[in-house]
Amino acid sequence: MLFDTTHLQSLQTPCYLYDTELLARTLDAIHAETQQHDNYHVHYAIKANANPDVLRQIAAAGFGADCVSGGEIRAALDAGFPASEIAFAGVGKADWEIKLALKASIGMFNVESIEELDVIEQLATELNMRARVSFRINPDVGAHTHAHITTGRAEDKFGIAKDDMIAVLRRAMDMTHIDVIGLHFHIGSQLLVMDDFAALCVRINELQDVLDAEGIALHNINVGGGLGIDYDQPDVHPVPDFHAYFSTFTDGLQLRPGQQLHFELGRAVVAQMGTLLTRVLYVKHGHEQQFVIVDAGMTELIRPALYGALHQIDNLSAAERGASAAVAPTPILYDVVGPICESSDVFARDYALPPTLRGDLLAIRSAGAYGETMASTYNCRPLPAAHLI
Ligand SMILES: *Cc1c(COP(=O)(O)O)cnc(C)c1O
């Protein structure tokens, strides 16, 4: 990614920068892998990045949306996603959110419990509308990722136990305002091992055999999202390996005739196009450690504090100084920390950067997913601005 620091100097930091060209390339790469399958549907998971400009670009490229709240459904509709291509997931849908979704005539509810199904039936009956539902089944496959972002093991709070699947389907098929359309799965996030998705395919095939034996035919299979990105080398892998991802499902799933396959990718679509731009406030020389104290913190990007995530950090100003220097300066190990009053407000420890000065602009990379959307006003800080580049 090329940064013109003269232009960036004028920006108020911290702020997000979104590379719309890289987003376009990423969307093209997804199209290239899916367009030969007219039964493949890709929904973008709004919670990864709900910036209105980003949403409009993704909607205009023909994607559907995956929402986990009423607010996200509104954001998706405002950005131009067709209601029929909106899926609504989440373990705790409030009544107002369910009504909003019914009135907007969204494509499908991904239902996570029998208790929720009963409420949707009741609200749909009151409104005299029909709800299209898929059931989120917990496939009990472990995902090799951080414990906080695995969702498909038996002990996780998400979905319906696979042994309860038939009973729940039968109950729903007896309801008057429910159309049962499919099964939904989502096993976790930041998954880079395709074997996890292959294991999900095996489990789905087993469940489809059970459905056949019961004489139940379903229109949709939704395999969720979760494809990871390369946080270590964003410049080497700016676009995720969508070929490996989609071909895992093409090869692994035994879809029934006419069955539609839905995907819900979030992070893989938007992570690499985003950068958190921050300015160095102080370089503090401690006894044991040197600290680069920046004006961004866990309020703008919480992933390091929440998941122990490490984002690549580039010192853009030092790179410019280095370009005019005869010999490249020796890097120094710094702890790069934010200003928030929490010891977990650390972007990186012992991180090698060129000699860094007060006022330098740093780029915290791969911050397009679960960055701006998770920002908070803790410490009465303003929410960060976002600029398209
Ligand atoms: C968060 C979420 C996604 C997207 O996950 P990514 O890891 O960002 O691809 C998809 N489906 C559901 C149900 C989700 O909750």
Side-chain angles (χ1 to χ4, degrees), residues 45 47 66 68 89 136 184 186 188-189 225-226 264-267 370:
K47 74 178 187 286
D66 171 56
V68 292
R136 179 168 180 175
H184 172 235
H186 175 66
S189 199
E264 300 170 335
L265 293 173
R267 185 192 311 272
Y370 306 106

Side-chain angles (χ1 to χ4, degrees), residues 274-278 296 301 311-313 347 362-367:
T275 294
L276 176 58
L277 186 71
T278 183
L301 182 66
H311 290 248
Q312 182 175 311
I313 303 172
F347 287 110
L362 305 191
I364 302 182
R365 305 288 305 280
S366 314

Side-chain angles (χ1 to χ4, degrees), residues 68-89:
V68 292
S69 73
E72 286 192 357
I73 293 172
R74 284 195 188 119
L77 292 170
D78 287 349
F81 287 95
S84 61
E85 299 300 319
I86 293 178
F88 183 19

